[in-house]
Amino acid sequence: MAADTPPETTPRAATATAVPAGRGGTTVTAAPPGTAVPSGNGTPTAQAPAGTLTPDAIGFLDALAIGLNATSPAYSLAAVIGPLVALVGVHAPGVILASFVPMLLIASAFHFLNRADPDCGTTFSWVTRALGPTTGWLGGWAIAMTGVLVVGSLADVAVGFGLLAVGADGLADNSLVREALTVLLILLMSWLCVRGTEASARFQNVLVLLQVLCLIVFAAVAVYRVHAGTGSLDAVRPAVDWLDPFGAGGSALTGGLLLGVFAYWGWESAVNLTEETKDPANAPGRAGIWSTVVLLATYLAVAFAVVAYAGTAYLAGRADSEEDVFAALAREVLGGWDWILLLAVATSALASTQTTIIPASRTALSMARRRALPAAFANIDPRRGTPGTSTWWVTGTAIVWYVVIHRISENALADSLTALSLLIAFYYALTGIACAVWYRRRLMRGPGPFLLLGAGPLLGSAMLIWLLAEAVADMADPAHASSSTAWFGLGAPLVIALFLAGAGVVLMLLRRAASGAFWRERPGVAPEAP
């Protein structure tokens, strides 16, 4: 085995540290930096980091708040409700309900995989163990790129709605001011991430309570005005058949489900903090599952209220303005109290700006530990116990992406978010497959293991792969892009996704040529339960 060890894994004198192991939630004594560490199947994989993330920094409720905020409930609803109603009409709540099914199944896969391997790299680590290093690297790259794609958009929304909430409409319409404030906000949120996980969790707890409270007030007032007949728009009485996702059918349903997947995305940030959470083998996974359940209840309540109050014609007519739908509805529903909903969207996007940095930075850290990325990405601040280097790299890349894509066209950010949905479906599907493969020797032990470890995750993955294939075919037509602009004869979102995928393959090959240690790992299976 020593003959197979590359030069960069030659041991050097240093102090050993305890890091999470690859199985069972136990810990192992990590060798000094520079020593190869066995993976879950016995293959030497990576150098142990010079330090470790802060253990027991947050609890279950903190992780739940972070998982909820990472999805940015108010912003996600604001961004998708118009396009969703334009596609499926009053069946928008039904599509939101249908989109919950693959999310719950994949959240279950995250829970069980985290119990076997509580690694902050989540999908990257699990897919590597189950399917091999090349597939695992691509899964990790997809997670990192989702953060890069969306952080700028989230911060931009937080700035815009924050300015509207305080009555600074003129500044909100000034693109240069908004861009400058967005960059400053991204830097501030990154600094909070680096400062410490405990501080981040306290900040997130306040924000999640604030935005959920604002959403409840908005939904309650909207429903009351519908029943009282005091609404100013074409109100529609809510009906149970709105929960039928097949009411629109065909390509409309496919597009709607993809929007729904985007709306739920982000809950796994709770699992990316597994090494910093109390009871790391169980609490983060449960927080992820409960995040999807709370999101379902919130989304259905607000979707029913919005569709009932505004009607389908109003919402469909504003499909291209995306999050501006809520800005207009705030004035319609709440009048002079419109700042309540504006504040909800602003705090939602603000919270998600911070929490979206977490999975990208922790994934980069995990990849660097195993030499899938340069060792510098594994640096951990010895005083704060946070991955400073990987966090600032994600931040810098996200800022560059935001500034460049924002200058290309007004709707390029929307196309970027559509491309994001493809990456989300890809790495979620990989995770479900990895769960079934990793636990394959346990699937025949009874209906529980078969359903929870195999059939459920595979069903969720199959649904996401179908959505991914349908979306790629659909986005090949430039008419379906948010900007309806053709890039190289294809829709802009598909070009963005293909560009990022191609860049990932190139960087993977370059890294493999520079250091092949990670690619000598071999996939394995879950160890036998005691």
Side-chain angles (χ1 to χ4, degrees), residues 29 46 66 83 100 103 110 186 241 300 325 362 367 415 443 491 509:
T29 300
I66 289 172
F100 167 74
M103 288 301 97
F110 267 78
I186 295 172
D241 63 3
L300 286 179
V325 168
R362 266 61 176 181
M367 294 175 76
D415 287 327
L443 300 184
L509 294 175

Side-chain angles (χ1 to χ4, degrees), residues 340-433:
I340 292 177
L341 185 57
L342 298 175
L343 183 63
V345 178
T347 55
S348 177
L350 176 64
S352 193
T353 300
Q354 182 189 17
T355 53
T356 303
I357 296 170
I358 290 173
S361 61
R362 266 61 176 181
T363 298
L365 166 67
S366 180
M367 294 175 76
R369 283 176 174 177
R370 295 165 79 154
R371 291 301 188 188
L373 286 178
F377 286 89
N379 290 339
I380 297 177
D381 188 302
R383 186 164 64 95
R384 304 190 185 279
T386 55
T389 301
S390 60
T391 298
W392 288 117
W393 267 99
V394 170
T395 299
T397 308
I399 289 174
V400 170
W401 179 269
Y402 165 74
V403 172
V404 171
I405 207 74
H406 196 251
R407 297 295 177 86
I408 291 176
S409 72
E410 291 185 5
N411 291 319
L413 273 178
D415 287 327
S416 184
L417 292 180
T418 305
L420 172 73
S421 299
L422 300 179
L423 298 181
I424 297 168
F426 172 71
Y427 78 79
Y428 276 174
L430 279 184
T431 307
I433 295 170

